[in-house]
Amino acid sequence: MDSAVLSSSLGNDRDLVAQMFKAGAAGDAASFRSLARSLVEAAEARGDAALAELARSALEGGGRLEVPATDEERANAFKATLREDAEIPLGLSLVKSNVRMEHVILPPVVKQVVNEFIAEQEENELYIRNGLQPRNKMMLMGPPGNGKTALCKAIANRMGCPLYFVRYDALMSTRQGETSKRLYNLFEFVKTHRCIMFFDEVDAIGKERADENEAGDMKRVVSTLLVQLDDVPPHVIVLGATNHPQMLDKAIWRRFHIRTTLPSPGADEYEQYLRLAFGKFGHAPKKNLRILGIVLQAENFAEVEVFVEDCVRTFIRGRGSLTIEQAIDISLENWPKTRVKIPA
């Protein structure tokens, strides 16, 4: 940007820029980010794209100036709780969970990774005393219907933390800059207490910025997300899930401490899931559930759950005239008629 043009542009916002410098020099990250964001909005309102981009670069690069909290302050933040449900901002939804860890079927390697992640958060004071912040960002990948959302709910239930789903329908706006502002507000809210923030299908908001099909405003949203992920404190857990990891911006990958895949289930996993699913309704079929899982040719756990519910419905309709085993046989016969496969 030409220095004369820059000087002219700054003429409208010299006081704002001066305050930004003061906040940066003092290490006041919150004020710096707020002022930089105000400068972006003021420049965009005037149509000064060059200054807006310059201010946005400052926000992304310098917005993380922060005076480190003491160990005691960090530890106390893990005990902070939500004061009022009414404080929850637009774009977040508080989700109640009764899913337990034993309800989620995980491969041994993934189970170990998840258990270590939870243990690190639960033993946060131990890590803080030894100069480390417990890891708090985990990305879950894998085909749809295999338990990513259920795992997030189980983690929240196990840890006794409020679980917030990010609702893109409420977060996204057609007004330029509004989505970034709302996203910033979400992070500012979750920082106030111990909680879990879940970005399901995070690729919807975190697409690769090099994608030519993406509008400029969405690229700015990704930039805002990156800054906020860097700034999120360790007492806030951020979980992401995606079925399309190749679509995510590479820089987002680097923000997540842990990245793990929930693969498609095999015969062992389907057998376990069938036993759990029937058990939820008080049934323990005297059938070989491993073979049943193979015969079903289900694509994921979600389909198995639908099948089990079909069996229970058939059993209920029998009004006591059917055993659960007979209900399974009837549902199995009807299964191909009701679950036509989607053409590849």
Side-chain angles (χ1 to χ4, degrees):
M1 188 175 185
D2 182 85
S3 59
V5 176
L6 175 60
S7 178
S8 175
S9 293
L10 291 181
N12 298 298
D13 302 290
R14 286 187 183 280
D15 289 344
L16 199 54
V17 173
Q19 292 177 56
M20 277 178 60
F21 276 115
K22 287 180 182 178
D28 185 348
S31 295
F32 183 93
R33 288 194 299 268
S34 177
L35 291 164
R37 198 164 283 104
S38 296
L39 183 57
V40 170
E41 291 171 3
E44 287 180 341
R46 289 198 309 273
D48 191 341
L51 180 58
E53 191 58 38
L54 188 66
R56 195 173 293 108
S57 296
L59 179 61
E60 293 175 25
R64 294 185 291 278
L65 298 172
E66 212 163 296
V67 178
T70 65
D71 288 355
E72 183 179 5
E73 287 171 334
R74 288 198 189 96
N76 287 339
F78 282 84
K79 301 167 188 172
T81 58
L82 174 65
R83 295 186 298 271
E84 296 282 345
D85 285 6
E87 295 178 1
I88 300 173
L90 183 71
L92 279 187
S93 177
L94 180 61
V95 176
K96 304 296 184 182
S97 171
N98 59 1
V99 180
R100 300 199 300 272
M101 289 301 295
E102 54 267 31
H103 292 159
V104 185
I105 309 299
L106 300 173
V109 173
V110 177
K111 186 180 294 187
Q112 179 181 348
V113 167
V114 171
N115 285 338
E116 287 176 357
F117 180 78
I118 293 172
E120 205 165 305
Q121 277 286 320
E122 290 180 335
E123 299 171 0
N124 55 81
E125 290 189 28
L126 173 64
Y127 289 88
I128 291 171
R129 284 199 307 269
N130 285 276
L132 285 173
Q133 295 192 22
R135 293 173 295 178
N136 64 330
K137 286 169 277 191
M138 180 164 63
M139 179 70 72
L140 304 173
M141 300 167 283
N146 290 328
K148 296 187 291 296
T149 301
L151 176 56
C152 292
K153 290 180 178 179
I155 291 173
N157 195 7
R158 159 79 178 269
M159 299 185 68
C161 291
L163 172 62
Y164 299 109
F165 276 34
V166 179
R167 300 295 187 191
Y168 304 123
D169 56 341
L171 178 67
M172 309 297 275
S173 172
T174 56
R175 289 177 55 196
Q176 191 169 22
E178 183 65 24
T179 302
S180 292
K181 187 186 299 184
R182 291 177 184 177
L183 184 61
Y184 170 78
N185 289 338
L186 301 194
F187 276 93
E188 288 300 295
F189 167 75
V190 297
K191 289 175 187 177
T192 63
H193 59 291
R194 174 74 154 146
C195 62
I196 297 175
M197 188 182 194
F198 178 44
F199 287 87
D200 196 7
E201 298 183 14
V202 66
D203 45 275
I205 195 175
K207 283 187 179 178
E208 174 62 59
R209 285 171 293 178
D211 185 348
E212 295 179 356
N213 295 319
E214 279 302 304
D217 198 46
M218 280 309 299
K219 293 179 182 180
R220 286 192 285 273
V221 170
V222 175
S223 297
T224 300
L225 179 59
L226 291 171
V227 172
Q228 294 306 317
L229 286 173
D230 275 337
D231 282 350
V232 72
H235 66 272
V236 177
I237 297 173
V238 180
L239 301 176
T242 179
N243 306 328
H244 306 288
Q246 72 282 358
M247 294 174 62
L248 273 176
D249 191 279
K250 304 280 189 305
I252 289 180
W253 283 117
R254 295 195 294 272
R255 267 61 179 188
F256 283 83
H257 304 118
I258 295 172
R259 303 182 289 271
T260 190
T261 299
L262 274 64
S264 295
D268 289 343
E269 289 77 25
Y270 279 133
E271 180 183 3
Q272 293 177 59
Y273 195 81
L274 280 164
R275 187 169 291 110
L276 279 172
F278 278 113
K280 278 199 310 183
F281 297 100
H283 294 292
K286 297 173 183 175
K287 273 186 172 289
N288 188 320
L289 297 183
R290 183 182 181 84
I291 292 176
L292 177 60
I294 295 170
V295 170
L296 272 178
Q297 296 184 341
E299 295 179 353
N300 48 47
F301 287 136
E303 277 207 319
V304 173
E305 185 171 13
V306 170
F307 174 76
V308 170
E309 290 178 358
D310 281 353
C311 295
V312 175
R313 286 191 177 93
T314 302
F315 176 81
I316 293 170
R317 283 196 299 271
R319 302 179 187 277
S321 66
L322 296 174
T323 65
I324 189 62
E325 290 78 15
Q326 290 171 325
I328 290 173
D329 289 338
I330 294 170
S331 294
L332 194 57
E333 184 178 348
N334 292 330
W335 181 247
K337 305 170 190 173
T338 61
R339 303 298 287 181
V340 175
K341 299 292 182 183
I342 299 173

